[in-house]
């Protein structure tokens, strides 16, 4: 039996999330960012089982001037841990800036999370979309729409 495609969207940070969509755009996994690195690895392990051919989109973000030193360091460590978890799970991934995926999905937020939450709810009306999961869903959808067949 051929492997099924799985598209993973990861919105990094403690207030982010992880979403996984099948090739038809159905939600397979949708959750707030797990609390520990081990929990992240466990979630990604679901995608790397033999029945799926996963690929991921990780939002490419940087620290901002409003972040304090500790916050920026913590955020950077978390982002690096996500990259390593994807590598350890042997899941190929692309890093995409917020401006690129938001433009492609017609939801330029300019920092307003309500914009991406509304767009995710439009695209996934059967899902309970939260601020934590909206961007992850949209990142997964971006990956699904831009996948190379």
């Amino acid at each position: 039996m051929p492997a099924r495609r799985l598209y993973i969207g990861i919105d990094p940070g403690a207030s982010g999330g992880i979403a996984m969509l099948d090739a038809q755009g159905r939600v397979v996994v949708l959750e707030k960012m797990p609390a520990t690195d081990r929990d992240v690895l466990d979630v990604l392990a679901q995608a790397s089982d033999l029945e799926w051919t996963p690929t991921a989109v990780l939002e490419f973000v940087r620290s901002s001037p409003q972040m304090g030193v500790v916050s920026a360091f913590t955020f950077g460590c978390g982002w690096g841990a996500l990259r390593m978890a994807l590598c350890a799970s042997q899941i190929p991934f692309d890093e995409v800036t917020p401006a690129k995926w938001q433009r492609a999905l017609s939801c330029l937020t300019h920092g307003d999370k309500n914009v991406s939450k509304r767009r995710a709810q439009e695209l996934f009306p059967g899902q309970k979309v939260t601020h934590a999961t909206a961007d992850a869903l949209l990142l997964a959808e971006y990956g699904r729409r831009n996948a190379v067949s």
Side-chain angles (χ1 to χ4, degrees), residues 19 21 25 27 30 101 105-107 109 112-139 141 145:
L21 305 175
V27 176
L30 179 61
W101 70 260
L105 293 173
S106 303
C107 63
T109 67
D112 182 356
K113 290 282 267 180
N114 290 316
V115 173
S116 56
K117 184 179 176 193
R118 274 192 303 272
R119 183 65 174 140
Q121 198 65 74
E122 286 172 10
L123 293 174
F124 302 95
Q127 293 297 314
K128 181 178 190 257
V129 177
T130 67
H131 285 113
T133 60
D135 287 3
L137 268 172
L138 295 171
L139 284 156
E141 179 63 11
R145 290 183 183 191

Side-chain angles (χ1 to χ4, degrees), residues 35-101:
T36 69
D37 293 343
R38 177 75 244 176
D39 294 338
V40 169
L41 198 54
D42 289 344
V43 169
L44 292 176
Q46 296 174 57
S48 58
D49 91 26
L50 294 176
E51 93 178 77
W52 296 105
T53 300
T55 185
V57 175
L58 174 63
E59 187 174 55
F60 183 73
V61 289
R62 297 197 170 137
S63 61
S64 64
Q66 345 27 321
M67 284 182 164
V69 174
V70 173
S71 295
F73 182 79
T74 301
F75 185 79
C77 285
W79 188 71
L82 288 167
R83 288 176 49 94
M84 184 53 71
L86 288 164
C87 291
S89 301
Q90 297 183 0
I91 299 172
F93 64 96
D94 288 323
E95 297 168 327
V96 180
T97 63
K100 185 171 183 178
W101 70 260

